Amino acid sequence: MAPKKGLGKGLDSLIVGELEKMPTKKQKTETGQIVEKIIEKPIEIKVKLSEIEPNRGQPRKEFNEDTLDELADSIRVYGVLQPLLVQKEEGYYKIIAGERRWRAAKKVGLKEVPVIIKDYTPQQVVEISLIENIQREDLNPIEEAQAFKRLLDEFKLKQDQLAERVAKSRVVITNALRLLKLDERVQDMLIHEMISAGHGRALVAIEEKEEQYNMALRIVDERLSVRETEKIVKNLLQPKSKKEKIVFSESEELAYQHMQDRIKEIFGSKVNIHKKDKNKGKIEIEYYSVDELERLLELFDKLKN
């Protein structure tokens, strides 16, 4: 499988010196002379598995057991080929990149694994964890969106800066963040792959959460495609066509006003005629006491007889 264009650059720029890099770099001395300075390569050491702990703040929360089993089978035969990237904490080593390898190594029953120890800022830790998972396509859409949001909110990055760091376009990041507006039940459906990110983006247009969730259930029940979902949502959001307002001529308005006044005289109460169209409508008679209502009923009885 060909590597994803641009992603390697994003990770290399953060893990300076971790990957294979040129062993020397030019540096100017105090006298102005340019010399070659040897760059120290990261040292790989073996660390007990019991001394390593996952990064609780890493973007990925869901791990597929089937793919972990496959990785464990590979480790059982060939060992851990790529060292874990860790950071020294008080009393343990925190995983920056390589939690899948750590989990698979535990399945196999290894006692120790190769690691490279580096020191990073909290922002770099999040960025590296995010980029590694993006490269492997290990994050579900909600995990990815939450990681983007954390980098924007917690570390005050702008969207164009974030796009450059993770080698994604601004459009991709904007669309990912929109998924966090979904109802939590719909987000859970996305996490468990009941619906796709494309379905989720279509559902974001529905503001009412219950209606949003019901539409998500319909997607699952009817196995709707993203295109079908977009069409249904568009129809749902279209404003209902307003009924054409009936326009009455001046003479017709005067006739209705005259009839309204005549009915008022007959009943002795305030009367309103509400016209629905030129042939239909309703008459509203107001009363202000029980006695007046009884008087109106007596009048109706007389009219009936």
Side-chain angles (χ1 to χ4, degrees):
M1 184 176 180
K4 293 179 179 60
K5 186 177 179 182
L7 285 174
K9 176 186 175 184
L11 190 55
D12 279 358
S13 67
L14 294 167
I15 312 176
V16 179
E18 179 197 350
L19 305 177
E20 295 267 338
K21 294 186 181 293
M22 293 185 65
T24 64
K25 72 174 181 179
K26 292 181 180 180
Q27 190 175 58
K28 190 177 288 187
T29 65
E30 291 180 2
T31 60
Q33 183 182 6
I34 296 177
V35 298
E36 296 281 329
K37 181 180 178 182
I38 296 174
I39 301 173
E40 292 184 7
K41 287 188 176 182
I43 299 172
E44 181 181 317
I45 65 170
K46 290 284 186 92
V47 171
K48 290 180 180 179
L49 217 60
S50 58
E51 295 178 0
I52 302 172
E53 292 187 15
N55 173 17
R56 293 177 179 83
Q58 89 127 319
R60 191 177 184 193
K61 307 300 179 187
E62 301 283 329
F63 290 85
N64 185 291
E65 288 299 322
D66 292 336
T67 57
L68 273 180
D69 287 339
E70 290 174 7
L71 181 57
D73 290 340
S74 174
I75 289 174
R76 191 177 286 109
V77 177
Y78 301 107
V80 179
L81 299 179
Q82 184 181 355
L84 282 65
L85 184 63
V86 300
Q87 180 165 296
K88 187 78 171 75
E89 301 287 341
E90 190 173 343
Y92 71 99
Y93 295 94
K94 180 173 70 178
I95 298 172
I96 306 303
E99 185 171 340
R100 285 181 73 252
R101 279 163 272 158
W102 175 77
R103 287 173 177 264
K106 287 179 71 175
K107 279 178 173 282
V108 173
L110 295 185
K111 299 298 181 185
E112 56 184 19
V113 290
V115 304
I116 292 173
I117 303 171
K118 298 288 289 183
D119 189 24
Y120 293 109
T121 65
Q123 180 177 335
Q124 287 174 318
V125 169
V126 177
E127 289 177 350
I128 292 168
S129 299
L130 174 59
I131 292 169
E132 186 203 31
N133 282 301
I134 288 175
Q135 284 180 323
R136 299 177 187 275
E137 296 185 335
D138 282 342
L139 297 179
N140 64 58
I142 298 302
E143 288 173 335
E144 186 176 71
Q146 288 171 338
F148 288 156
K149 189 174 188 303
R150 183 181 175 192
L151 286 166
L152 291 170
D153 294 348
E154 190 172 328
F155 302 109
K156 309 303 179 187
L157 291 179
K158 295 180 180 178
Q159 282 201 20
D160 54 348
Q161 293 174 318
L162 176 57
E164 185 178 352
R165 302 291 280 185
V166 300
K168 294 274 189 180
S169 70
R170 275 192 72 171
V171 173
V172 169
I173 291 172
T174 300
N175 283 336
L177 292 170
R178 289 175 66 225
L179 297 177
L180 298 180
K181 296 179 181 179
L182 292 169
D183 180 88
E184 288 185 5
R185 294 167 295 180
V186 180
Q187 290 188 31
D188 193 59
M189 293 170 75
L190 255 174
I191 290 170
H192 293 97
E193 299 181 347
M194 297 172 69
I195 61 174
S196 71
H199 288 118
R201 286 191 291 272
L203 292 174
V204 168
I206 303 173
E207 293 184 5
E208 213 285 309
K209 300 296 185 184
E210 197 64 34
E211 189 176 354
Q212 196 181 85
Y213 176 59
N214 289 334
M215 186 63 212
L217 292 176
R218 183 177 171 185
I219 291 169
V220 176
D221 291 341
E222 300 180 21
R223 298 182 180 180
L224 298 174
S225 68
V226 173
R227 187 176 294 273
E228 288 170 332
T229 303
E230 289 171 343
K231 187 176 180 180
I232 294 170
V233 170
K234 184 179 179 180
N235 289 335
L236 282 174
L237 298 178
Q238 279 182 343
K240 294 178 181 177
S241 57
K242 294 180 179 178
K243 290 184 178 179
E244 187 179 347
K245 187 176 180 181
I246 304 300
V247 179
F248 292 91
S249 66
E250 186 176 346
S251 59
E252 287 173 324
E253 289 288 355
L254 287 172
Y256 273 104
Q257 184 63 50
H258 177 64
M259 286 185 280
Q260 186 171 282
D261 291 341
R262 283 184 62 193
I263 297 171
K264 182 178 178 180
E265 288 177 9
I266 294 169
F267 290 104
S269 296
K270 185 176 180 181
V271 175
N272 289 301
I273 296 177
H274 300 282
K275 306 177 289 292
K276 291 185 178 179
D277 58 36
K278 294 196 176 186
N279 296 310
K280 292 186 293 185
K282 66 178 180 179
I283 299 172
E284 184 180 72
I285 304 172
E286 295 185 12
Y287 65 92
Y288 303 98
S289 68
V290 175
D291 290 340
E292 189 172 2
L293 178 59
E294 289 178 350
R295 180 184 65 78
L296 287 170
L297 288 173
E298 288 175 5
L299 184 56
F300 279 123
D301 285 335
K302 289 179 181 177
L303 292 172
K304 182 180 176 182
N305 297 328

